[in-house]
Amino acid sequence: MYPHIEGCNQFARVAPTPRRLLGTGMDTSPYIELRDVVFARGDRRIFDGVSLDIPRGKITAIMGPSGTGKTTLLRLIGGQLRPDSGTITVAGENVPRLKRKALYRLREKMGMLFQSGALFTDLSVFENVAFPLRVHTSLPEDMIRDIVLMKLEAVGLRGARELMPAELSGGMTRRVALARSIALDPELIMYDEPFAGQDPIAMGVLIKLIRDLNSSMGLTSVMVSHDVKESLSICHYACIVADGQIIGDGTPEEIKAHPSEQVQQFLHGHPDGPVPFHYPAADAGQDWGITGRSR
Amino acid sequence: MDKLAAFGRLGLDIIASLGRSGRFLAGVLGGVSKPSVAFPLLLKQLYSIGVLSLAIIVVSGLFIGMVLGLQGYTILSDYGSEAAIGQMIALTLVRELGPVVTALLFAGRAGSALTAEIGLMKTTEQLSSMEMMGVDPLRRVIAPRLWAGFIAVPILAAVFSVVGIWGGMLVGVEWLGVFEGSFWGNMQSSVSFTNDVLNGVIKSVVFGFVCTWIAVYQGYDCVPTSAGISSATTKTVVYSSLAVLGLDFVLTAVMFGDF
């Protein structure tokens, strides 16, 4: 249904060194590099020495069970969180070490689609998409109008420009948020659970948009999701996060054939396996008061 | 031992929260936006925080002034001093009730709304999305609200005092028959601009700043859930009220405690 785009080399967890293809001038270095990233919340280690390369100009899917830190990974890449140790390099800049001003300048190269859409509720669809243009550019009003309408046309919502966010469906909200996130023509776009809670038509529209935007704008796309089928149908490269580690990575075909039981349990949605059905608990006999009872 | 540990943890939490709010304030005040960007945002907030609070301030001021007129007349007439009702009402309002009641009303009406609005923006990831667009929410969202509160409260307090005095005049002069010349004349001779009016303005500036700081910080720092917003809104009203009353005592002691 969604033909997979072939031709992407697998990026190892620690990337090989070549940066440019000789003679072509094409940059093949990873757009994002994570090295030995450790991040903890209280006593719980969300990431325990994660290293990962995200290829330039491709769609990378980061998958994993709920609560494994997929969204946290996006926030680390965007500099909203700082790792306890390790380096995170985006477009050649070490994000955790950036000063505030440099970090905000780097973010102008990023777009992010939040799970909720995160539209400004007091602004219309048009004004939401125009917001980054008004803040970061000094373009004349007629040019802002043209750009906003083009972005809305790209997501099929040019006709909805006068609506307020409260008047939009869930799928439309995400499409408007997508239009807003590409308003400044970013180099990187991050999608946080783009398919969660969407009906099949909205999901199909979002899949098409993510794929088309990536190919037409040459974006580097990072997609966090636990929708296996949809993610593998459009990504060039995928990695699966669990227990603070990357437990599997590769092209969609390699992921599907991955030998790890935990990866296979996640891909096929088996209720029991390396990730147990039961949350760790005391001995059941103790809870029901039948252990050691003498008659 | 557990109680001691809990007490210690509470103390550490309070200190950590104070530290966070201090850093937050430094972040808000440290950033300077372009006037062409900041001024329209400030005007919008002045309208929603200040102008929309006028109704409650005017109505409250009127009734409090009328009550002061009635109570003052009842008490002062026992001593044959009902002519002093004007100065009593003016001094009470300008020195104390104007700044204090305005700040309390502001915390309940605008402060809680600020907290809920910012908390909801946080919960719906609007602040995060702003950050990811390269826009600092401290400058774009918080700073205009903080400055608007800082500017609005002294003006609202002045309106409160003026309307209160007028309400007291309605009761004292128009209803109870106090001589109008004594009412205004005693007021004019006993109210000092520097000692009374200016000190009242200083109080309302301090209260406005503290109430708005508490409101925006509670919204920004809230747990991003519906229960978190509810708790933050409650905290805004409670902390602001306590801060206003506590600071009022301190400021009064400093300003008028020269015994």
Side-chain angles (χ1 to χ4, degrees), chain B residues 78-113:
Chain B
D78 286 346
Y79 305 95
S81 309
E82 61 269 22
I85 192 174
Q87 75 188 72
M88 187 216 80
I89 291 170
L91 287 175
T92 309
L93 283 169
V94 170
R95 283 183 175 189
E96 287 299 331
L97 290 183
V100 171
V101 177
T102 300
L104 294 176
L105 291 171
F106 178 83
R109 191 261 155 203
S112 57

Side-chain angles (χ1 to χ4, degrees), chain A residues 75 78 80 100 104 107 110 112 114-116 118-122 131-132 135-136 180 190, chain B residues 34 44 117 121 123-137 139-140 145:
Chain A
R75 290 185 184 275
Q80 289 186 300
R100 186 190 156 281
Y104 275 85
R107 283 177 182 162
M110 302 177 183
M112 184 156 173
F114 285 84
Q115 193 172 347
S116 63
L119 296 180
F120 303 130
T121 46
D122 58 334
F131 182 83
V135 174
H136 291 302
R180 186 179 65 178
M190 296 186 276
Chain B
K34 280 186 280 185
K44 191 178 171 191
E117 184 189 18
M121 288 181 83
T123 306
T124 54
E125 297 180 309
Q126 291 179 53
L127 298 181
S128 286
S129 73
M130 214 174 260
E131 278 183 1
M132 289 306 298
M133 276 187 261
V135 179
D136 188 351
R139 291 185 189 178
R140 184 87 193 183
R145 286 162 173 78

